[in-house]
Amino acid sequence: MGTLTLLSTRDVADRLRITPRKVSRLVEADRLRAAAKAPGPRGAFMFTADELDRYMRDREHEHVDADEPAVDDDEVAA
């Protein structure tokens, strides 16, 4: 059996070039599924690489169809 590597909210934010808050909003909107969440109200989300790949494919298809930017300009990480 292989090892499962989980990505943090920060890892996902960096890969998507968005803020960690935007990642949390995507989870809240059920557009990105966290594999795990640390305990507590501010517990960190953890994601699988497969889930990130799925989200990116879905997002690409949505924006090709809608011809819109992938994220709002104010959500892009500096």
Side-chain angles (χ1 to χ4, degrees), residues 2-75:
T3 303
L4 177 64
T5 301
L6 295 176
L7 305 169
S8 69
T9 301
R10 169 56 68 188
D11 294 333
V12 171
D14 289 347
R15 290 181 187 200
L16 294 176
R17 299 185 51 138
I18 61 176
T19 64
R21 179 65 190 128
K22 177 67 175 180
V23 173
S24 296
R25 288 181 187 148
L26 291 170
V27 171
E28 292 166 5
D30 291 326
R31 295 192 61 213
L32 184 62
R33 291 183 289 271
K37 182 184 179 296
R42 295 182 54 111
F45 290 113
M46 300 301 290
F47 303 88
T48 64
D50 287 345
E51 173 58 13
L52 179 58
D53 291 343
R54 182 212 53 85
Y55 171 77
M56 292 171 71
R57 279 191 312 273
D58 288 354
R59 186 178 76 171
E60 184 176 298
H61 289 249
E62 287 173 9
H63 295 292
V64 166
D65 294 340
D67 197 34
E68 295 177 4
V71 294
D72 297 334
D73 290 338
D74 64 335
E75 295 293 348

